[in-house]
Amino acid sequence: SQSQDLPAAFGFLASARPSGGRIPPAAFATRGTHTGVELSLRSQTLGATLVHAPGLPPDSAQARDTDTAVLIAGEIYNRDDLCSVLGPRAGQPGGDAQLLLDLLHRYGPHAFRLVNGRFAAVVSIGRRVLLATDHAGSVPLYVCAGPGEVTASTEAKTLAGHGGPRGFPFADARRVRGLPGVYQVPAGAVMDIGLDSGTAETHRTWAPPLARRIMDEDDAVAAVRTALDRAVGARIAPGGTPLVVLSGGIDSSGVAALAHRAAGSIDSLSMGTDVSDEFVQARAVADHLGTRHREITVPTADLLRQLPYTVWAAESEDPHIIEYLLPLVALYRALDGPARRVLTGYGADIPLAGMHREDRLPNLDTAVAYDMATYDGLNEMSPVLSTLSGHWSTHPYWDRDVLDLLVSLEAGLKRRYGRDKWVLRAAMAELLPEQTVTRPKLGVHEGSGTTSSFSLLLLEEGVPERSVDMAKQQVVRELFDRTVVAGQDPGEVSTAEVVRSVADRLERGAA
Ligand code: ATP
Ligand code: MG
Ligand code: MG
Ligand code: MG
């Protein structure tokens, strides 16, 4: 049924102590059933609250032996590869946590260098605690630690009550503003924390490629097609019908085409507002593929009211990112019915510089290098954006193998014959209508009118045009302080009121 289609756990709050477990209560943005676990090992106890899909016991999110325990939120995509080095019984029974446990036995903490997935994990081993993120840090992971206790969570807000600097500061991890003592585990890293000392060593398990590869056009196109096809296939559960959030842009249309071939059929869903939509372009793709397609129109006033939910879910303070995510959060919140596995076309523009609207190549690779060096901590891939309404989302363009390939292609394959994302368009050419393949990029924040509607809201409150960007930053900050730091229910935070207070403050500052 629906449940095999979803990972065993969406998130966790975990606490490791030398003895005497603690199952910490947690108020997650993630919606789901809470299950407490307590794993007593030879040298420590790991207690946790797992949050997971209702009706799906989170058994395969945990695994243990006498000295080691593993908890995982999310999922692994290269299970077959991993099993090929571990032997046929690897991961049996129990799934992804057991697979990690088997991998740890073979490789030690370096196990995480082998994993291609969308996950956050905590491992209690001997007197140490390992905290691991996937290459993209796509499932955010936070930690608060001191001598004698390591607490880790997939949502920073759940650590608010555990805070206060207790141990040594972590030099390698980013502090979370407003939550003293709370740090975000870097993307593509394992933090190895001594339970007695509370000090950490951080090991990188992935880094964005810096070198660029020259490839023949045909080879590059074939490589992109193969890598993306594998990534989409790995994200579809056997027998399940995935849902693709579809704009009619090349990124999501490519995913829809490959998913439709892999799964036999898919559902697709488009979001628009009363101001703007991409319904015609999405419909063209849905008709071409023969998907079961649905459109959801969110009135702009409702859209803007979801800003607190977006910040609460993303735990991000970046106003641009929040503008991209707002229409998607509105879409997921409007998606009623059973929990779905959702595939998106999110993130393709980062390695391909899809926003790069000019022909000169030097600037294109500057944009790729910059974006690949600065994505960590933005949380734009966070599953909480959809799990806040019970749905699991996954992003094939940020599959580790796809990303390694796309980043590394020389700029002339990305921008070619006057087209952005040329190599992707060429890879998808046979599967999609010509008009889709040649359609210029349009950002989700543009196609839904989100950026302009948010600007208008501020202008109407008297914010001068030149201060709009600064005001957006302040609104997002204030929403972060309220929903993440202070733990307020986003349903009780009024966007209008926050906008008014920011506008007033700016006016007083200007006077
Ligand atoms: P392009 O970047 O070329 O416009 P795209 O529209 O697929 O292609 P983005 O605009 O970057 O990609 O949007 C990111 C992702 O968000 C999309 O791939 C899609 O999965 C989702 N998305 C964007 N707009 C919508 C929409 N109107 N309805 C449903 N999903 C959307
Ligand atoms: Mg895109
Ligand atoms: Mg994009
Ligand atoms: Mg688009």
Side-chain angles (χ1 to χ4, degrees), residues 380-413:
E380 59 184 318
M381 311 285 165
S382 173
V384 185
L385 300 160
S386 59
T387 56
L388 93 169
S389 53
H391 307 292
W392 176 252
S393 56
T394 176
H395 314 297
Y397 290 100
W398 273 59
D399 177 89
R400 195 182 64 171
D401 295 341
V402 174
L403 194 59
D404 273 330
L405 173 64
L406 294 183
V407 170
S408 70
L409 294 177
E410 60 97 359
L413 289 163

PDB file of all heavy atoms in Angstrom, residues 380-413:
ATOM      1  N   GLU A 380      17.273  24.201   1.100  1.00  0.00           N
ATOM      2  CA  GLU A 380      16.223  24.260   0.080  1.00  0.00           C
ATOM      3  C   GLU A 380      15.752  22.892  -0.382  1.00  0.00           C
ATOM      4  O   GLU A 380      14.720  22.766  -1.006  1.00  0.00           O
ATOM      5  CB  GLU A 380      16.611  25.153  -1.102  1.00  0.00           C
ATOM      6  CG  GLU A 380      17.844  24.765  -1.843  1.00  0.00           C
ATOM      7  CD  GLU A 380      18.178  25.777  -2.941  1.00  0.00           C
ATOM      8  OE1 GLU A 380      17.272  26.231  -3.654  1.00  0.00           O
ATOM      9  OE2 GLU A 380      19.369  26.112  -3.085  1.00  0.00           O
ATOM     10  N   MET A 381      16.539  21.838  -0.068  1.00  0.00           N
ATOM     11  CA  MET A 381      16.119  20.484  -0.434  1.00  0.00           C
ATOM     12  C   MET A 381      15.405  19.780   0.727  1.00  0.00           C
ATOM     13  O   MET A 381      15.118  18.580   0.634  1.00  0.00           O
ATOM     14  CB  MET A 381      17.346  19.646  -0.820  1.00  0.00           C
ATOM     15  CG  MET A 381      18.289  20.284  -1.801  1.00  0.00           C
ATOM     16  SD  MET A 381      17.636  20.263  -3.461  1.00  0.00           S
ATOM     17  CE  MET A 381      18.743  21.456  -4.228  1.00  0.00           C
ATOM     18  N   SER A 382      15.181  20.479   1.817  1.00  0.00           N
ATOM     19  CA  SER A 382      14.672  19.809   3.018  1.00  0.00           C
ATOM     20  C   SER A 382      13.360  19.062   2.771  1.00  0.00           C
ATOM     21  O   SER A 382      12.437  19.606   2.168  1.00  0.00           O
ATOM     22  CB  SER A 382      14.453  20.836   4.134  1.00  0.00           C
ATOM     23  OG  SER A 382      13.819  20.211   5.228  1.00  0.00           O
ATOM     24  N   PRO A 383      13.263  17.830   3.260  1.00  0.00           N
ATOM     25  CA  PRO A 383      12.006  17.093   3.116  1.00  0.00           C
ATOM     26  C   PRO A 383      10.877  17.677   3.959  1.00  0.00           C
ATOM     27  O   PRO A 383       9.709  17.372   3.720  1.00  0.00           O
ATOM     28  CB  PRO A 383      12.365  15.683   3.597  1.00  0.00           C
ATOM     29  CG  PRO A 383      13.553  15.845   4.473  1.00  0.00           C
ATOM     30  CD  PRO A 383      14.304  17.038   3.957  1.00  0.00           C
ATOM     31  N   VAL A 384      11.230  18.505   4.939  1.00  0.00           N
ATOM     32  CA  VAL A 384      10.195  19.033   5.841  1.00  0.00           C
ATOM     33  C   VAL A 384       9.194  19.912   5.082  1.00  0.00           C
ATOM     34  O   VAL A 384       8.048  20.046   5.473  1.00  0.00           O
ATOM     35  CB  VAL A 384      10.830  19.807   7.022  1.00  0.00           C
ATOM     36  CG1 VAL A 384       9.759  20.251   8.011  1.00  0.00           C
ATOM     37  CG2 VAL A 384      11.866  18.938   7.724  1.00  0.00           C
ATOM     38  N   LEU A 385       9.632  20.480   3.946  1.00  0.00           N
ATOM     39  CA  LEU A 385       8.731  21.296   3.135  1.00  0.00           C
ATOM     40  C   LEU A 385       7.496  20.519   2.708  1.00  0.00           C
ATOM     41  O   LEU A 385       6.410  21.082   2.579  1.00  0.00           O
ATOM     42  CB  LEU A 385       9.476  21.807   1.895  1.00  0.00           C
ATOM     43  CG  LEU A 385      10.694  22.657   2.255  1.00  0.00           C
ATOM     44  CD1 LEU A 385      11.659  22.742   1.092  1.00  0.00           C
ATOM     45  CD2 LEU A 385      10.249  24.034   2.713  1.00  0.00           C
ATOM     46  N   SER A 386       7.673  19.205   2.507  1.00  0.00           N
ATOM     47  CA  SER A 386       6.520  18.369   2.153  1.00  0.00           C
ATOM     48  C   SER A 386       6.055  17.484   3.303  1.00  0.00           C
ATOM     49  O   SER A 386       4.862  17.219   3.425  1.00  0.00           O
ATOM     50  CB  SER A 386       6.829  17.512   0.924  1.00  0.00           C
ATOM     51  OG  SER A 386       7.945  16.680   1.167  1.00  0.00           O
ATOM     52  N   THR A 387       6.980  17.046   4.164  1.00  0.00           N
ATOM     53  CA  THR A 387       6.516  16.197   5.276  1.00  0.00           C
ATOM     54  C   THR A 387       5.678  17.003   6.265  1.00  0.00           C
ATOM     55  O   THR A 387       4.969  16.420   7.074  1.00  0.00           O
ATOM     56  CB  THR A 387       7.684  15.507   6.032  1.00  0.00           C
ATOM     57  OG1 THR A 387       8.598  16.484   6.501  1.00  0.00           O
ATOM     58  CG2 THR A 387       8.393  14.495   5.147  1.00  0.00           C
ATOM     59  N   LEU A 388       5.721  18.312   6.206  1.00  0.00           N
ATOM     60  CA  LEU A 388       4.822  19.079   7.078  1.00  0.00           C
ATOM     61  C   LEU A 388       3.364  18.774   6.738  1.00  0.00           C
ATOM     62  O   LEU A 388       2.489  18.979   7.570  1.00  0.00           O
ATOM     63  CB  LEU A 388       5.115  20.589   7.043  1.00  0.00           C
ATOM     64  CG  LEU A 388       4.371  21.502   6.080  1.00  0.00           C
ATOM     65  CD1 LEU A 388       4.616  22.964   6.406  1.00  0.00           C
ATOM     66  CD2 LEU A 388       4.745  21.199   4.669  1.00  0.00           C
ATOM     67  N   SER A 389       3.101  18.238   5.557  1.00  0.00           N
ATOM     68  CA  SER A 389       1.750  17.758   5.274  1.00  0.00           C
ATOM     69  C   SER A 389       1.746  16.259   4.971  1.00  0.00           C
ATOM     70  O   SER A 389       0.827  15.749   4.343  1.00  0.00           O
ATOM     71  CB  SER A 389       1.115  18.569   4.145  1.00  0.00           C
ATOM     72  OG  SER A 389       1.948  18.585   3.023  1.00  0.00           O
ATOM     73  N   GLY A 390       2.792  15.566   5.416  1.00  0.00           N
ATOM     74  CA  GLY A 390       2.792  14.101   5.378  1.00  0.00           C
ATOM     75  C   GLY A 390       3.357  13.482   4.107  1.00  0.00           C
ATOM     76  O   GLY A 390       3.402  12.262   3.989  1.00  0.00           O
ATOM     77  N   HIS A 391       3.804  14.292   3.138  1.00  0.00           N
ATOM     78  CA  HIS A 391       4.311  13.766   1.863  1.00  0.00           C
ATOM     79  C   HIS A 391       5.840  13.742   1.851  1.00  0.00           C
ATOM     80  O   HIS A 391       6.489  14.634   2.393  1.00  0.00           O
ATOM     81  CB  HIS A 391       3.799  14.625   0.704  1.00  0.00           C
ATOM     82  CG  HIS A 391       2.311  14.788   0.698  1.00  0.00           C
ATOM     83  ND1 HIS A 391       1.455  13.747   0.447  1.00  0.00           N
ATOM     84  CD2 HIS A 391       1.526  15.874   0.962  1.00  0.00           C
ATOM     85  CE1 HIS A 391       0.198  14.175   0.525  1.00  0.00           C
ATOM     86  NE2 HIS A 391       0.213  15.474   0.842  1.00  0.00           N
ATOM     87  N   TRP A 392       6.390  12.724   1.181  1.00  0.00           N
ATOM     88  CA  TRP A 392       7.848  12.593   1.073  1.00  0.00           C
ATOM     89  C   TRP A 392       8.287  13.095  -0.302  1.00  0.00           C
ATOM     90  O   TRP A 392       7.782  12.630  -1.323  1.00  0.00           O
ATOM     91  CB  TRP A 392       8.267  11.132   1.251  1.00  0.00           C
ATOM     92  CG  TRP A 392       9.735  10.914   1.060  1.00  0.00           C
ATOM     93  CD1 TRP A 392      10.341  10.298   0.005  1.00  0.00           C
ATOM     94  CD2 TRP A 392      10.784  11.309   1.957  1.00  0.00           C
ATOM     95  NE1 TRP A 392      11.707  10.293   0.196  1.00  0.00           N
ATOM     96  CE2 TRP A 392      12.004  10.902   1.368  1.00  0.00           C
ATOM     97  CE3 TRP A 392      10.804  11.979   3.193  1.00  0.00           C
ATOM     98  CZ2 TRP A 392      13.242  11.142   1.989  1.00  0.00           C
ATOM     99  CZ3 TRP A 392      12.033  12.213   3.792  1.00  0.00           C
ATOM    100  CH2 TRP A 392      13.226  11.795   3.203  1.00  0.00           C
ATOM    101  N   SER A 393       9.220  14.032  -0.337  1.00  0.00           N
ATOM    102  CA  SER A 393       9.696  14.569  -1.613  1.00  0.00           C
ATOM    103  C   SER A 393      11.146  14.173  -1.844  1.00  0.00           C
ATOM    104  O   SER A 393      11.916  13.987  -0.896  1.00  0.00           O
ATOM    105  CB  SER A 393       9.578  16.093  -1.613  1.00  0.00           C
ATOM    106  OG  SER A 393      10.281  16.630  -0.506  1.00  0.00           O
ATOM    107  N   THR A 394      11.518  14.061  -3.109  1.00  0.00           N
ATOM    108  CA  THR A 394      12.897  13.715  -3.442  1.00  0.00           C
ATOM    109  C   THR A 394      13.275  14.347  -4.782  1.00  0.00           C
ATOM    110  O   THR A 394      12.417  14.558  -5.639  1.00  0.00           O
ATOM    111  CB  THR A 394      13.096  12.176  -3.419  1.00  0.00           C
ATOM    112  OG1 THR A 394      14.433  11.880  -3.842  1.00  0.00           O
ATOM    113  CG2 THR A 394      12.112  11.432  -4.305  1.00  0.00           C
ATOM    114  N   HIS A 395      14.564  14.679  -4.933  1.00  0.00           N
ATOM    115  CA  HIS A 395      15.008  15.550  -6.018  1.00  0.00           C
ATOM    116  C   HIS A 395      16.082  14.872  -6.872  1.00  0.00           C
ATOM    117  O   HIS A 395      17.269  14.927  -6.536  1.00  0.00           O
ATOM    118  CB  HIS A 395      15.589  16.840  -5.423  1.00  0.00           C
ATOM    119  CG  HIS A 395      14.759  17.443  -4.335  1.00  0.00           C
ATOM    120  ND1 HIS A 395      13.481  17.914  -4.553  1.00  0.00           N
ATOM    121  CD2 HIS A 395      15.010  17.658  -3.013  1.00  0.00           C
ATOM    122  CE1 HIS A 395      12.985  18.399  -3.415  1.00  0.00           C
ATOM    123  NE2 HIS A 395      13.891  18.248  -2.459  1.00  0.00           N
ATOM    124  N   PRO A 396      15.709  14.229  -7.989  1.00  0.00           N
ATOM    125  CA  PRO A 396      16.678  13.465  -8.791  1.00  0.00           C
ATOM    126  C   PRO A 396      17.879  14.274  -9.295  1.00  0.00           C
ATOM    127  O   PRO A 396      18.960  13.707  -9.464  1.00  0.00           O
ATOM    128  CB  PRO A 396      15.836  12.968  -9.983  1.00  0.00           C
ATOM    129  CG  PRO A 396      14.419  13.030  -9.524  1.00  0.00           C
ATOM    130  CD  PRO A 396      14.332  14.109  -8.499  1.00  0.00           C
ATOM    131  N   TYR A 397      17.727  15.578  -9.541  1.00  0.00           N
ATOM    132  CA  TYR A 397      18.879  16.343 -10.045  1.00  0.00           C
ATOM    133  C   TYR A 397      19.971  16.498  -8.992  1.00  0.00           C
ATOM    134  O   TYR A 397      21.108  16.813  -9.324  1.00  0.00           O
ATOM    135  CB  TYR A 397      18.459  17.728 -10.561  1.00  0.00           C
ATOM    136  CG  TYR A 397      17.669  17.644 -11.843  1.00  0.00           C
ATOM    137  CD1 TYR A 397      16.279  17.736 -11.825  1.00  0.00           C
ATOM    138  CD2 TYR A 397      18.305  17.437 -13.062  1.00  0.00           C
ATOM    139  CE1 TYR A 397      15.545  17.643 -12.994  1.00  0.00           C
ATOM    140  CE2 TYR A 397      17.577  17.335 -14.247  1.00  0.00           C
ATOM    141  CZ  TYR A 397      16.205  17.442 -14.201  1.00  0.00           C
ATOM    142  OH  TYR A 397      15.484  17.335 -15.357  1.00  0.00           O
ATOM    143  N   TRP A 398      19.592  16.288  -7.720  1.00  0.00           N
ATOM    144  CA  TRP A 398      20.602  16.344  -6.672  1.00  0.00           C
ATOM    145  C   TRP A 398      20.976  14.963  -6.176  1.00  0.00           C
ATOM    146  O   TRP A 398      21.590  14.807  -5.119  1.00  0.00           O
ATOM    147  CB  TRP A 398      20.200  17.319  -5.561  1.00  0.00           C
ATOM    148  CG  TRP A 398      20.669  18.699  -5.935  1.00  0.00           C
ATOM    149  CD1 TRP A 398      20.314  19.400  -7.051  1.00  0.00           C
ATOM    150  CD2 TRP A 398      21.637  19.509  -5.246  1.00  0.00           C
ATOM    151  NE1 TRP A 398      20.998  20.595  -7.103  1.00  0.00           N
ATOM    152  CE2 TRP A 398      21.805  20.695  -6.012  1.00  0.00           C
ATOM    153  CE3 TRP A 398      22.366  19.344  -4.080  1.00  0.00           C
ATOM    154  CZ2 TRP A 398      22.674  21.707  -5.615  1.00  0.00           C
ATOM    155  CZ3 TRP A 398      23.228  20.366  -3.681  1.00  0.00           C
ATOM    156  CH2 TRP A 398      23.374  21.533  -4.448  1.00  0.00           C
ATOM    157  N   ASP A 399      20.640  13.945  -6.938  1.00  0.00           N
ATOM    158  CA  ASP A 399      21.226  12.628  -6.730  1.00  0.00           C
ATOM    159  C   ASP A 399      22.744  12.797  -6.815  1.00  0.00           C
ATOM    160  O   ASP A 399      23.249  13.573  -7.629  1.00  0.00           O
ATOM    161  CB  ASP A 399      20.739  11.706  -7.852  1.00  0.00           C
ATOM    162  CG  ASP A 399      21.364  10.326  -7.773  1.00  0.00           C
ATOM    163  OD1 ASP A 399      20.780   9.472  -7.100  1.00  0.00           O
ATOM    164  OD2 ASP A 399      22.444  10.123  -8.383  1.00  0.00           O
ATOM    165  N   ARG A 400      23.473  12.062  -6.003  1.00  0.00           N
ATOM    166  CA  ARG A 400      24.922  12.287  -5.943  1.00  0.00           C
ATOM    167  C   ARG A 400      25.591  12.078  -7.305  1.00  0.00           C
ATOM    168  O   ARG A 400      26.446  12.871  -7.709  1.00  0.00           O
ATOM    169  CB  ARG A 400      25.554  11.363  -4.889  1.00  0.00           C
ATOM    170  CG  ARG A 400      26.963  11.784  -4.516  1.00  0.00           C
ATOM    171  CD  ARG A 400      27.564  10.823  -3.500  1.00  0.00           C
ATOM    172  NE  ARG A 400      27.715   9.485  -4.077  1.00  0.00           N
ATOM    173  CZ  ARG A 400      28.375   8.498  -3.482  1.00  0.00           C
ATOM    174  NH1 ARG A 400      28.916   8.688  -2.292  1.00  0.00           N
ATOM    175  NH2 ARG A 400      28.473   7.321  -4.056  1.00  0.00           N
ATOM    176  N   ASP A 401      25.200  11.040  -8.019  1.00  0.00           N
ATOM    177  CA  ASP A 401      25.841  10.763  -9.309  1.00  0.00           C
ATOM    178  C   ASP A 401      25.457  11.787 -10.373  1.00  0.00           C
ATOM    179  O   ASP A 401      26.281  12.194 -11.194  1.00  0.00           O
ATOM    180  CB  ASP A 401      25.474   9.354  -9.800  1.00  0.00           C
ATOM    181  CG  ASP A 401      26.041   8.274  -8.884  1.00  0.00           C
ATOM    182  OD1 ASP A 401      26.978   8.572  -8.117  1.00  0.00           O
ATOM    183  OD2 ASP A 401      25.534   7.136  -8.938  1.00  0.00           O
ATOM    184  N   VAL A 402      24.187  12.194 -10.352  1.00  0.00           N
ATOM    185  CA  VAL A 402      23.743  13.204 -11.326  1.00  0.00           C
ATOM    186  C   VAL A 402      24.461  14.523 -11.068  1.00  0.00           C
ATOM    187  O   VAL A 402      24.966  15.176 -11.990  1.00  0.00           O
ATOM    188  CB  VAL A 402      22.210  13.401 -11.245  1.00  0.00           C
ATOM    189  CG1 VAL A 402      21.766  14.567 -12.146  1.00  0.00           C
ATOM    190  CG2 VAL A 402      21.483  12.120 -11.642  1.00  0.00           C
ATOM    191  N   LEU A 403      24.535  14.874  -9.803  1.00  0.00           N
ATOM    192  CA  LEU A 403      25.164  16.149  -9.445  1.00  0.00           C
ATOM    193  C   LEU A 403      26.651  16.147  -9.798  1.00  0.00           C
ATOM    194  O   LEU A 403      27.163  17.120 -10.368  1.00  0.00           O
ATOM    195  CB  LEU A 403      24.959  16.388  -7.950  1.00  0.00           C
ATOM    196  CG  LEU A 403      25.247  17.793  -7.433  1.00  0.00           C
ATOM    197  CD1 LEU A 403      24.372  18.828  -8.128  1.00  0.00           C
ATOM    198  CD2 LEU A 403      25.020  17.843  -5.924  1.00  0.00           C
ATOM    199  N   ASP A 404      27.344  15.045  -9.477  1.00  0.00           N
ATOM    200  CA  ASP A 404      28.765  14.943  -9.829  1.00  0.00           C
ATOM    201  C   ASP A 404      28.970  15.165 -11.332  1.00  0.00           C
ATOM    202  O   ASP A 404      29.900  15.858 -11.743  1.00  0.00           O
ATOM    203  CB  ASP A 404      29.310  13.552  -9.459  1.00  0.00           C
ATOM    204  CG  ASP A 404      29.803  13.483  -8.013  1.00  0.00           C
ATOM    205  OD1 ASP A 404      30.266  14.518  -7.488  1.00  0.00           O
ATOM    206  OD2 ASP A 404      29.726  12.402  -7.424  1.00  0.00           O
ATOM    207  N   LEU A 405      28.087  14.578 -12.112  1.00  0.00           N
ATOM    208  CA  LEU A 405      28.211  14.709 -13.562  1.00  0.00           C
ATOM    209  C   LEU A 405      27.879  16.139 -14.021  1.00  0.00           C
ATOM    210  O   LEU A 405      28.660  16.772 -14.739  1.00  0.00           O
ATOM    211  CB  LEU A 405      27.284  13.699 -14.257  1.00  0.00           C
ATOM    212  CG  LEU A 405      27.199  13.836 -15.778  1.00  0.00           C
ATOM    213  CD1 LEU A 405      28.557  13.541 -16.430  1.00  0.00           C
ATOM    214  CD2 LEU A 405      26.122  12.921 -16.355  1.00  0.00           C
ATOM    215  N   LEU A 406      26.728  16.636 -13.608  1.00  0.00           N
ATOM    216  CA  LEU A 406      26.279  17.944 -14.113  1.00  0.00           C
ATOM    217  C   LEU A 406      27.251  19.060 -13.731  1.00  0.00           C
ATOM    218  O   LEU A 406      27.575  19.923 -14.547  1.00  0.00           O
ATOM    219  CB  LEU A 406      24.877  18.273 -13.596  1.00  0.00           C
ATOM    220  CG  LEU A 406      23.743  17.385 -14.100  1.00  0.00           C
ATOM    221  CD1 LEU A 406      22.401  17.876 -13.558  1.00  0.00           C
ATOM    222  CD2 LEU A 406      23.696  17.328 -15.630  1.00  0.00           C
ATOM    223  N   VAL A 407      27.694  19.041 -12.480  1.00  0.00           N
ATOM    224  CA  VAL A 407      28.620  20.092 -12.046  1.00  0.00           C
ATOM    225  C   VAL A 407      29.869  20.080 -12.914  1.00  0.00           C
ATOM    226  O   VAL A 407      30.375  21.122 -13.328  1.00  0.00           O
ATOM    227  CB  VAL A 407      29.003  19.925 -10.559  1.00  0.00           C
ATOM    228  CG1 VAL A 407      30.136  20.868 -10.179  1.00  0.00           C
ATOM    229  CG2 VAL A 407      27.797  20.167  -9.658  1.00  0.00           C
ATOM    230  N   SER A 408      30.356  18.855 -13.208  1.00  0.00           N
ATOM    231  CA  SER A 408      31.677  18.750 -13.816  1.00  0.00           C
ATOM    232  C   SER A 408      31.699  19.021 -15.323  1.00  0.00           C
ATOM    233  O   SER A 408      32.772  19.156 -15.900  1.00  0.00           O
ATOM    234  CB  SER A 408      32.266  17.362 -13.530  1.00  0.00           C
ATOM    235  OG  SER A 408      31.542  16.386 -14.261  1.00  0.00           O
ATOM    236  N   LEU A 409      30.556  19.093 -15.963  1.00  0.00           N
ATOM    237  CA  LEU A 409      30.573  19.350 -17.413  1.00  0.00           C
ATOM    238  C   LEU A 409      31.081  20.762 -17.698  1.00  0.00           C
ATOM    239  O   LEU A 409      30.727  21.718 -17.015  1.00  0.00           O
ATOM    240  CB  LEU A 409      29.166  19.173 -17.997  1.00  0.00           C
ATOM    241  CG  LEU A 409      28.605  17.754 -17.954  1.00  0.00           C
ATOM    242  CD1 LEU A 409      27.179  17.733 -18.494  1.00  0.00           C
ATOM    243  CD2 LEU A 409      29.489  16.769 -18.722  1.00  0.00           C
ATOM    244  N   GLU A 410      31.891  20.881 -18.744  1.00  0.00           N
ATOM    245  CA  GLU A 410      32.423  22.211 -19.086  1.00  0.00           C
ATOM    246  C   GLU A 410      31.271  23.129 -19.504  1.00  0.00           C
ATOM    247  O   GLU A 410      30.250  22.676 -20.043  1.00  0.00           O
ATOM    248  CB  GLU A 410      33.514  22.094 -20.160  1.00  0.00           C
ATOM    249  CG  GLU A 410      33.081  21.470 -21.471  1.00  0.00           C
ATOM    250  CD  GLU A 410      32.720  22.486 -22.550  1.00  0.00           C
ATOM    251  OE1 GLU A 410      32.780  23.697 -22.273  1.00  0.00           O
ATOM    252  OE2 GLU A 410      32.346  22.040 -23.664  1.00  0.00           O
ATOM    253  N   ALA A 411      31.452  24.407 -19.235  1.00  0.00           N
ATOM    254  CA  ALA A 411      30.366  25.378 -19.366  1.00  0.00           C
ATOM    255  C   ALA A 411      29.732  25.387 -20.756  1.00  0.00           C
ATOM    256  O   ALA A 411      28.526  25.637 -20.893  1.00  0.00           O
ATOM    257  CB  ALA A 411      30.889  26.774 -19.009  1.00  0.00           C
ATOM    258  N   GLY A 412      30.522  25.093 -21.781  1.00  0.00           N
ATOM    259  CA  GLY A 412      30.006  25.119 -23.150  1.00  0.00           C
ATOM    260  C   GLY A 412      28.971  24.045 -23.441  1.00  0.00           C
ATOM    261  O   GLY A 412      28.247  24.129 -24.436  1.00  0.00           O
ATOM    262  N   LEU A 413      28.877  23.030 -22.581  1.00  0.00           N
ATOM    263  CA  LEU A 413      27.829  22.015 -22.730  1.00  0.00           C
ATOM    264  C   LEU A 413      26.552  22.447 -22.017  1.00  0.00           C
ATOM    265  O   LEU A 413      25.476  21.926 -22.277  1.00  0.00           O
ATOM    266  CB  LEU A 413      28.308  20.676 -22.164  1.00  0.00           C
ATOM    267  CG  LEU A 413      29.391  19.967 -22.982  1.00  0.00           C
ATOM    268  CD1 LEU A 413      30.084  18.888 -22.152  1.00  0.00           C
ATOM    269  CD2 LEU A 413      28.795  19.366 -24.265  1.00  0.00           C
TER     270      LEU A 413
END
